[in-house]
Amino acid sequence: MNRLVLRVSVVCLGAAIALSPCAYAKQHKQKHRKNEDLSANPLGNVQSSQPDKLLFDKAMKAMKKGHYDVARLDLQTLLNTYPDSEYDMRAKLAVGDTWFKEGGTAALSQAESEYKDFITFFPNSPEAAEAQMKVGDIYFQQMEKPDRDPANAVHAEEEYRTMLEQFPDSSLAPRAKQKLREVQEVLAQRQFEIGEYYASRENYAAGIARLQTVADDYPLFSKADQTLITIGDSYAVEAQKMAQSRLPAKAKTELVRYYDNQAADAWGLVVRRYPLSPHVEDAKDRLIAMGRPVPDASPQALAESQAEEDSRVNVRLGRRTLALLGHGPDTIKAARVGEPSLNNPSPVTAPAVIKESAEAFKAALAGKPIPAPGSMQEPQEASAAQGGGAGNYSVGQAQPGSGGGEAPTQKLTFEEVPDASAGGGAAAPNGGTVDATEAPGNGGVNGDPNGAAPAGAVGSGQPLAAPVGPTDTKALPAIDKPAEAPQQINEVPANEQNAQVKTGATVSGKPSKKTKKAPYDKKEESSSQHKKRKGLDKLNPF
């Protein structure tokens, strides 16, 4: 009896021990799920049994489980049934959240529309900053790599800038700044790669334009030092080309100094602005090789450069592999400190760079001081009233040396074209005539002091060129007449027919009786009427 009681007690104790972890785990799991619901629902800690609150909680639970259509239906029911509810603002924002979490191009476009409507209806609410932030996140998720279409990156930059400009005191402002730094890292990388490509193809104007845009608009770019070094190298190559040109000595010296100064400015900016960057020693070496002094960095620049370099995360092999396989850009090298650029200046273009170089070239040839870069003006075309040179005047203007006054520029029309066959000179634009004896120069035409115009000259009354062909068009030469057509004969002459019969030709489509047939060669052809080839002869192609 005692043994039986002991056994039953042991079995009951074992069952209790086995069931206790399951009950504890179930209770702990339910408690953890309740905590997740409270964190997902911003109004979940509000203890209320009102129907609008129950609808809102139900929609939040459905959205958490991935039933976005059910969640939208409950939220729309809340907005339509209780228009004065205190949960309407959060419900309208949650409708955009359902589209945002659903994903896809169409869903994200609908989410953007919902967030924009929320900002319109509730512009002064704290949730408006959250809606604007999520609009930027929509484009951030759809960004491509730097060598792909940059439309989504450009839109993301605009939305994050709007967020920081309209809601600078929001708690989401630091996150928006970091997102903006990452977006600008992608845009700067795109411009940098294009500029490096142009520089490698010796298209220095286009390369300088792209790289200068990066240096001006994105100072926090991870390769800003390398950007400025490439700009300086491009100007240095231009200086070498000017030194090897055949220009006058003075103009050549001025142009070489002009390009060397721009190269030194670019390299010096690397030392002053990015003193702790990876390529700062390269900039210093270039300045020393040119014979220019190496500038000193200020303590503030040292502190900023140190903070920027320390904030960057080193790219590991696993992260680089994932970045290559993914469709999105790699923003791990973006800075974590510093103020991102909030303005949108006009980018530098290649025509502007070419125009500056052309103005510097003209000033050097004219012996004038070369203006500083960026102060070039639009070139104005010289006219006769401004002392334009010979060959630059237009029709109607007084030519240099003619002693005539200034005349307005006029263009000849079709009716005013001079008639060379009529005597008395050619018609002038102002209604008069231009005679050969009034031509500028030595008082005549082609240096003739007597003023006599040669044959074919303007105003001589003779044609410029003699007509081609015979003067008497009534009687054409015999060689120009068409040959007579031969007489058509449908019958073959007798002599030709006899010749065809002797050679074995056909007459009227029938073979001649005297035609001899060629002998049969069994090696070249085979026929059922002749003996067929046997044995190896069948395989012999010859």
Side-chain angles (χ1 to χ4, degrees), residues 143-151 153 182-194 210 221 223 323-324 326-331:
M143 283 196 313
E144 299 289 342
K145 294 183 181 297
D147 57 345
R148 300 297 180 182
D149 185 12
E182 296 178 2
V183 173
Q184 290 181 351
E185 178 76 14
V186 177
L187 294 175
Q189 180 67 26
R190 169 183 171 79
Q191 297 288 348
F192 174 77
E193 291 178 358
I194 297 175
R210 296 282 185 164
F221 181 44
K223 298 179 182 178
L324 293 175
H327 72 280
D330 186 12
T331 59

Side-chain angles (χ1 to χ4, degrees), residues 11-249:
V11 171
C12 293
L13 181 60
I17 294 174
L19 294 176
S20 58
C22 297
Y24 176 77
K26 184 177 181 180
Q27 182 180 4
H28 181 71
K29 187 175 182 180
Q30 290 178 354
K31 184 177 180 180
H32 183 64
R33 182 182 300 174
K34 184 177 179 180
N35 291 335
E36 288 183 356
D37 293 342
L38 290 176
S39 62
N41 185 359
L43 301 178
N45 56 353
V46 179
Q47 301 297 330
S48 176
S49 59
Q50 296 178 359
D52 53 350
K53 175 64 168 56
L54 296 179
L55 276 175
F56 186 81
D57 291 343
K58 181 182 176 183
M60 292 296 102
K61 292 179 181 179
M63 184 169 60
K64 179 184 175 181
K65 294 180 180 180
H67 304 158
Y68 303 113
D69 51 349
V70 178
R72 281 194 293 271
L73 182 60
D74 293 337
L75 293 172
Q76 291 294 341
T77 303
L78 171 61
L79 294 173
N80 297 332
T81 309
Y82 308 98
D84 299 331
S85 175
E86 58 183 343
Y87 302 102
D88 284 353
M89 185 171 61
R90 290 299 312 182
K92 188 168 183 58
L93 184 62
V95 172
D97 293 341
T98 58
W99 290 111
F100 181 77
K101 293 184 178 181
E102 184 174 347
T105 304
L108 291 177
S109 178
Q110 188 66 28
E112 181 185 2
S113 178
E114 294 291 340
Y115 290 140
K116 292 291 186 181
D117 291 344
F118 181 86
I119 297 173
T120 303
F121 287 115
F122 309 99
N124 299 325
S125 63
E127 288 79 3
E130 179 182 353
Q132 182 62 38
M133 184 70 190
K134 290 182 178 179
V135 172
D137 293 341
I138 289 174
Y139 290 105
F140 187 86
Q141 291 184 0
Q142 302 179 81
M143 283 196 313
E144 299 289 342
K145 294 183 181 297
D147 57 345
R148 300 297 180 182
D149 185 12
N152 291 324
V154 172
H155 286 301
E157 183 184 23
E158 294 176 355
E159 298 300 337
Y160 287 134
R161 282 177 176 175
T162 304
M163 160 65 186
L164 295 174
E165 291 173 356
Q166 295 184 358
F167 310 99
D169 299 331
S170 174
S171 59
L172 298 174
R175 181 173 175 270
K177 288 183 180 181
Q178 181 56 35
K179 289 290 185 179
L180 184 57
R181 296 188 196 100
E182 296 178 2
V183 173
Q184 290 181 351
E185 178 76 14
V186 177
L187 294 175
Q189 180 67 26
R190 169 183 171 79
Q191 297 288 348
F192 174 77
E193 291 178 358
I194 297 175
E196 288 284 341
Y197 173 80
Y198 282 134
S200 63
R201 297 301 185 272
E202 297 184 359
N203 190 350
Y204 298 111
I208 290 172
R210 296 282 185 164
L211 298 173
Q212 191 64 46
T213 301
V214 176
D216 295 341
D217 298 349
Y218 309 109
L220 298 178
F221 181 44
S222 59
K223 298 179 182 178
D225 54 342
Q226 191 173 352
T227 301
L228 293 172
I229 289 177
T230 306
I231 293 175
D233 293 344
S234 300
Y235 281 121
V237 174
E238 293 289 344
Q240 294 177 2
K241 290 184 177 180
M242 288 295 107
Q244 298 174 0
S245 63
R246 297 182 179 180
L247 295 175

Side-chain angles (χ1 to χ4, degrees), residues 500-522:
Q500 293 177 358
V501 170
K502 291 180 180 181
T503 56
T506 59
V507 179
S508 301
K510 297 181 180 180
S512 176
K513 296 181 180 180
K514 296 182 180 181
T515 303
K516 296 183 180 180
K517 192 175 181 179
Y520 170 76
D521 189 359
K522 64 179 181 179

Side-chain angles (χ1 to χ4, degrees), residues 425 434-461 464:
V434 180
D435 191 67
T437 58
E438 299 178 357
N442 297 329
V445 178
N446 295 333
D448 188 2
N450 299 325
V458 178
S460 63
L464 298 177

Side-chain angles (χ1 to χ4, degrees), residues 309-317 319-320 332-333:
E309 296 302 326
D310 292 343
S311 66
R312 305 186 194 278
V313 180
N314 294 327
V315 182
R316 298 181 180 179
L317 181 60
R319 181 65 181 268
R320 186 180 295 274
I332 192 172
K333 295 296 291 183

